[in-house]
Amino acid sequence: MLTAASDIEVLARFGRALADSIRCRILLALREAPAYPSDLAEALGISRTRLSNHLACLRDCGLVVTVPDGRRTRYELADERLGHALDDLRSAVVAVETDRTCPDVGTKGCC
């Protein structure tokens, strides 16, 4: 069980990052390979300004880092374990989503 405030804060930051579909898409793209903002914006079909705001959030959450590359800046996951964590989380959510054994699913709509 998590009790340390720092553990809870870390998970809360991760949750905030995942709370937005664009940030999820960015994380999944960076899981595949580091990328430059212009390439990310094009791949995701969003403006550079909008992407910049989401990248700032992900940097503040400690999930992505910038790597200077000449006159450009490349983004990548802060730690390769984040890619594995995203894969594990996605697998777990899919497994739970397909397991609709909760007896309240039809009446309470909670699951």
Side-chain angles (χ1 to χ4, degrees):
M1 177 173 182
L2 295 176
T3 56
S6 62
D7 288 344
I8 294 167
E9 290 168 7
V10 166
L11 285 177
R13 280 197 317 264
F14 191 61
R16 275 194 302 278
L18 295 178
D20 185 274
S21 63
I22 291 175
R23 289 192 294 271
C24 288
R25 292 171 59 205
I26 293 168
L27 289 170
L28 291 173
L30 293 177
R31 184 193 83 223
E32 297 299 322
Y36 298 100
S38 58
D39 298 333
L40 279 172
E42 184 177 330
L44 299 176
I46 60 174
S47 71
R48 295 270 317 262
T49 302
R50 193 167 180 196
L51 176 74
S52 178
N53 291 333
H54 287 290
L55 286 172
C57 175
L58 292 171
R59 275 193 322 269
D60 291 345
C61 289
L63 300 177
V64 301
V65 294
T66 59
V67 178
D69 187 15
R71 295 175 48 196
R72 300 176 75 189
T73 300
R74 185 179 69 238
Y75 281 81
E76 57 188 50
L77 294 178
D79 188 298
E80 70 180 37
R81 291 174 290 187
L82 288 170
H84 300 294
L86 289 167
D87 289 337
D88 290 345
L89 183 59
R90 186 174 57 184
S91 294
V93 169
V94 167
V96 169
E97 179 67 24
T98 57
D99 179 18
R100 296 294 187 161
T101 59
C102 175
D104 295 328
V105 70
T107 58
K108 294 183 181 177
C110 60
C111 301

